[in-house]
Amino acid sequence: MPRLAVSPSSKPNCSLIGLICIFLTLSATHTHARIAVTIPEQVSLLASMNTQQLSISWLGGEATTFDLIILRTEFNETVFYGTVSVTVNQESGRHEWNWTSAEPLECTSLSVRIRSRDGQMTSDWSDTQILQGSDVPSNKDTQIYPQDRIVPVGSNTTFCCIVAEREVFGSIQYRSTVMSATRLSRRTYAATVVNQGPSRASGTNVLCFTDRSSSLSGAVVFVGYPPQLSDFVCETHDLTSTVCQWNNGRDTSLYGKRRTRYLVNNRDCTNNSLLQQQTECSVPQWEGNWTLVAVNSLGQYSLTDSAELSHRVCPVAPVELSSVVHAWNATVQWQWKYSSYSSLALVCQVEFTAGGYKTKRTFTGVGLRSAVLSDLHPVEDYSVQVRCGAQQNFWKWGTWSKPISFKTKTDVPDAPDVWMWRNRDGTGQVIWKPLTQRQSHGQITGYSVTFWNPEENRQHTVILSQYTIAVPFNLTQMAYLSGDNKVIASVTAKNADGMSPPASVSLRLPDVELPAASRAVYTDEGFPLSWQSNANATCSFVVEWHETSCTYDCPVDWIKVPAGNTNVSIESANFQPGVRYSFSLYSCPSDSPELLQRWQGYTEELVPSGSVRLSSSQQGSDILLTWRSMPMVDSRGFLLGYNVYISNGSQLTLLANLSDLETSYTVKGFSMGSYKFTVKAYTSAGEETGTTVIIAMESYSDWLILEILTSLGILSLLLVIATFICYKKRKWVKKAFYPDIPEPKLPSDWSSAQGPLDVKPSPHSMVHIVEKPEWDSSKEMLVVIPEEDEDDDGQGIGDEPVDTDEPTSLRYYNQVVDERPIRPRFPDSSTSSASSLDSAHTDVTYTGIQTSGSSLVFQLDPQGSSEGHQPQAAHSVSCRGGGYQPQMQPRAPSDDMGLASAEPLLEAQAACSGGYKPQSSWHFDSPMEAEERGSLAPSLGSPTSIASTQFLLPDGEEHGEEKRQSSSAATWFTNLLSSTKP
Amino acid sequence: MAEQEEQPITQPDPPGSGQSRTGRAVSIARLLHRECTRLLQLYKEKETFLSDHTPDGGRIVSLSSESEASSAEEQVQCLHSALRQCLGLLHCVILKEEEEWGKLEGDYETMRKNVRTRLEHLLHTTKDLVETEEMILEVTPDHQCNEEVDGAGGLFGLKMWTYRVLLELIHWSDHAAQTLHVLHREREGTEEI
């Protein structure tokens, strides 16, 4: 509120005037406000149920701003409240404002009130205007809204269900989905479906269920797309009218009444067919510019096109096709539906199909109505159809005519494709490929083959049936025809129209030496073969192939290659994997075929089907595996090598990979036992199952024994030879190794020798018995027995040096002597011995003192003996007898030391028991002496029973037996040598 | 329910064929009944909400003189009249469905066409059986199809009405099989068809 400035003292009149002015101004303003905020009157509601739009109009005076409130009448719930600016409709003079409801307007009654607003000033509300809903009590049945609504895909729709009186709301279902519902009024419930998908032709069902099971109310909603077209183009068929076509694009999901309608240049082109979506429309004349409008309930789409008629000519299909047929050509004729085509320059395609192959040929001409098809094949079924286009300003091909069929006439056959097969023995076959239907030009009635010699011009003709494809020949039997083994074979085929041109091939003996075959690798296009060609060569080539394993009258196939070509790919349906094929390139097949090159190859290499024939043999500790190379039929691929395995249970261990195709293998270093070997051949596809051989290794010690026996045999033989030689040279041997014993030489101080003295006693010497006081109590006595000269080299003396030139030493025998005297060898000695036994002294009797020498008496020094033979003393430690220990032959350390050590132990044990052990080295020097001494000998080597003078040790004692054996062998050799004695 | 084997639509057999005319009529009626049952099954597969729904309300087609008919021939004449109305209803269903949904070529539409043809065939058969000089029977559909299908209105109402028409076809085709069997028994003196 403006504040007034009053100055009463200075200008009272002016102040009064000012107040009046202010009052008037305020009064005018207030009057203007009262005019602007008049209450709206004559509020009117106009509902559009389909769009759910409520049109509200009223008389609002001068005001332009209004407050509107819309409520659901029953529940007095505010649906809309807002201030809107509305201008007066000049025609009706009323304010109008439209409001779109989220729910169908039928769902429930709506109350509308309006008031004018001028800034902060508002008028009073107008009278309430009610839009009656369908839930009024007068509509008692269940209802659901909206009905038959068409909405775009992805939109949201709110459905409401008005429940019948005295029924209870159940649920709202969209398709089969129960929706969440809200209550709008006493009987009305609403649910909103969001992002709806396209519906089927009969729409999407929305159902409302109540507590009454038989009551079923529903609505149908159609969810689809607006039209969206493309490729709109117009053309003419009859050179007068227009046919426009387009592409409908995506399915609108709207059918029947709701389908898209089309207008071309504002003419309804919609056809009455409800079956398919329309894509074409005809206009009776050529307008040059066209606009297509497609409309459905959700929107519209328009496309345009423009063109001159001559640029859009698409001829109709030719009609009434006919043909005039010959063997190698035919004429096709047709008619046009429109006479206007007679002046139209046309280009036509004639497509004829024969044997599954289609061929197109093009013809041109004004008003074209026929075409001549040349280069056809006789006796061939053809199917022909024609289509045309405008030759000038070609637009597109017209529609194909209905096809017609005809069959060409017959003619003489083509020349057969001839080749040959030659065996090594001069025989062979002339072979030709059966003529195909396309080559025979009619039914073949037979073949004729003519063999002729170009030089002598002699020929021989064979007539064959139509089923024959080969005729044998024998060049060796055709000698009368040809001196140089060159024969020309000509083959002709015959049908009803006549004979074919002849096809020739030259027959010769096959080449003796074949060129080496190189390897051909199969590819997807067959076996690619290439060769070097002479630039001047004018001959064609033939490449023949057959299975390599076949050698006689083989089924051969071939292909002819024109001259100048240097490569070809060979493919055949007869090729089998795992079969080796040989390819041979011949030049000049009809004149003088010459084998130029050979190949071999597989379409696919397989693992070998057979197995190697495996054998094994033992070679000492080695095993030799040998096998035969695999036949080609079984190898099924180029053999790359062999794998040798040894089997350990169920597992194979690779021993060797023999990539050089060796057929033997030696496995070394095996001991006794059973071994299993497997040999597998392999190709690039893998290895075959293999052959297994089991070998049991025999003990090769037998071989060792055999070798030993052989060595022993050889040694024996050498010994025999040596013996023989010795026998023959026995005098020399006697002289060299067994010279006559010289007479002993006794130096003057011989008795002062410190060591044991070997004395060669004379067989007839007697030994004096020397008393030895220490042994008196034990009644034991040491007896020295004279010994014949022997070859014992003094082993019993130990390591002390021995003069081998001296006679052999005396030997001592420890002997327990009873009261009775030892039986004397001679009566003289027995007397002395008996006398000595009778005394209490221990006597030692030496016998056999050499007659040439005096009898020698020694006082034996056991102590000295024990010193000289320490090992024996060691063995006698455990002895308690304290008797004499026999002397042992000292041995140098050797392999048989163990054996040598046991013997003294046994002897020591014998000594422990106080028993007697005879010296083993006792023997006669010669058989003669043995014979001479007779019964004396045993008594010398064995203890003698006191009572019976029998030997205490049995003869069968093992040790004594061995001694005797060795003694016998030595005796034999001694005898041998002794035989040389004079 | 196992799908019924579709049988070809044939014209009435010439006189002298093995089966009697009444027996043939019974067979056609029974076949029509099976096809109507199959048609309803296909319709329920399209409109699944009908699978568990049994509409209330009486018959669409009813005959006032049915109970008064005494002889089998008269009952067949009444049946013929009911079948004409059924054919009219089926024509109307086809017309309205094609108008609303378009010309479709599914199993339901194929079977619907078969039922229409079979029903026409049965009408010709019954006409031949019971038509007299005094009683001229028509075989054209007895329904104009120009009235509202049901009070509910809307396309949902069309679906409900179609459902009722299909139920009506089942009812009257079954009734036709029974009525014609009575006529067959009277004329042929045997139960066998």
Side-chain angles (χ1 to χ4, degrees), chain B residues 20 46 77 103:
Chain B
S20 66
K46 285 181 62 175
Q77 287 172 354
K103 289 185 177 179

Side-chain angles (χ1 to χ4, degrees), chain A residues 147-148 200-203 205-207 212-214 216-220 222 255-258 274-275, chain B residues 46-50 53-56 98-105 153-157 159-160:
Chain A
Q147 288 281 335
D148 308 337
R200 55 197 172 93
S202 59
N205 297 317
V206 184
L207 306 172
R212 187 177 160 210
S213 60
S214 61
L216 181 60
S217 299
V220 179
F222 298 90
Y255 307 93
K257 281 183 177 177
R258 291 157 293 280
L274 299 171
L275 190 60
Chain B
K46 285 181 62 175
E47 307 296 346
T48 54
F49 71 93
L50 297 170
H53 177 66
T54 302
D56 49 3
E98 287 187 347
E99 181 182 349
E100 292 294 342
W101 325 131
K103 289 185 177 179
L104 306 176
E105 294 179 327
L155 294 176
F156 189 80
K159 292 180 180 181
M160 294 297 290

Side-chain angles (χ1 to χ4, degrees), chain A residues 769-789:
Chain A
I769 298 172
V770 180
E771 184 179 1
K772 191 164 188 345
E774 300 91 302
W775 290 55
D776 190 1
S777 61
S778 61
K779 302 292 184 181
E780 290 180 350
M781 59 189 315
L782 184 62
V783 178
V784 178
I785 299 174
E787 185 175 69
E788 296 292 337
D789 54 347

